[in-house]
Amino acid sequence: MKKQPEITQQTQKNIITAFCCLYERRPIEQIHVKDVIATAGYNRSTFYEYFTDIYDLLAHIEDDVIQFIKAGMQNSTHNHTDLLRLLSAKEDYLKVLLGPYSGGHFQERLRNEFMQSREPSCDGNPIDAYLSEFHITVSLSMYRLWLRQKDMNLDELSQLIDTLYTNGINGVAQS
């Protein structure tokens, strides 16, 4: 039994932060436990108290973000603004999970989670799946670009996405 939960949580968070710093700069295949513990300042046994390997650590981060978003979406209106706000609350993790070395794995996993949670249309319209796919993929891709560029605030991004959904590209494009 862990006797000091605050210290335990902080240790786990430090290991996760160290991993994220590394994953931001290189693919997961090039990240080893020894790299993470050296960056975090712990020994190997401390790492293994929390995670079985690097992939378990990555899965832990992904699961945390997905559960956070699912919980937040239960209390929302299920629009892209709500999704963007939830994503922003986990921005430090998402910079890495949606970053250049992720290979799109997390984006695909997140997309699948949202597609599974969407209820099928009552009338069985086959176009609904395409519309959902479009909505989720475009919103995530634009958020991913925003994380890299940060050239507008979150409200502006939300307004841009809303305008694109409402008016299409022609509603935004300059003549």
Side-chain angles (χ1 to χ4, degrees):
M1 175 178 230
K2 303 203 189 299
K3 296 181 181 181
Q4 299 174 329
E6 300 85 21
I7 293 173
T8 300
Q9 281 183 321
Q10 188 59 51
T11 301
Q12 186 178 34
K13 184 178 179 185
N14 292 344
I15 292 170
I16 290 169
T17 300
F19 169 78
C20 288
C21 288
L22 295 167
Y23 195 34
E24 199 168 15
R25 296 182 302 227
R26 56 184 153 167
I28 194 165
E29 298 82 17
Q30 295 178 11
I31 301 171
H32 305 284
V33 171
K34 67 180 180 168
D35 303 323
V36 174
I37 61 173
T39 303
Y42 296 104
N43 61 41
R44 198 180 253 318
S45 64
T46 301
F47 178 90
Y48 290 114
E49 286 181 38
Y50 301 95
F51 309 104
T52 58
D53 59 20
I54 294 296
Y55 294 96
D56 181 46
L57 170 54
L58 177 60
H60 173 83
I61 297 167
E62 290 178 349
D63 291 344
D64 175 64
V65 171
I66 287 171
Q67 292 310 314
F68 177 82
I69 292 170
K70 279 183 167 182
M73 290 302 281
Q74 288 177 351
N75 302 320
S76 75
T77 58
H78 294 270
N79 63 38
H80 62 272
T81 302
D82 292 338
L83 177 60
L84 290 176
R85 296 218 184 287
L86 288 169
L87 291 173
S88 291
K90 294 287 186 175
E91 183 177 322
D92 291 340
Y93 292 156
L94 287 166
K95 282 181 189 176
V96 176
L97 295 175
L98 297 174
Y101 295 108
S102 70
H105 168 77
F106 180 72
Q107 187 168 346
E108 182 69 15
R109 187 172 170 203
L110 191 57
R111 186 192 64 74
N112 287 338
E113 289 286 337
F114 279 104
M115 292 297 283
Q116 287 175 356
S117 67
R118 305 235 0 157
E119 294 184 23
S121 171
C122 294
D123 61 6
N125 188 349
I127 200 167
D128 289 347
Y130 291 95
L131 294 173
S132 292
E133 175 75 18
F134 175 82
H135 180 78
I136 291 166
T137 303
V138 168
S139 294
L140 282 174
S141 292
M142 291 185 71
Y143 181 76
R144 185 176 183 216
L145 178 62
W146 179 79
L147 279 174
R148 285 194 315 265
Q149 295 187 178
K150 288 287 189 129
D151 53 356
M152 63 177 71
N153 66 44
L154 195 59
D155 290 331
E156 291 170 325
L157 175 63
S158 180
Q159 181 60 46
L160 174 60
I161 293 171
D162 186 53
T163 301
L164 286 168
Y165 285 143
T166 305
N167 303 327
I169 287 179
N170 292 335
V172 177
Q174 302 290 330
S175 318

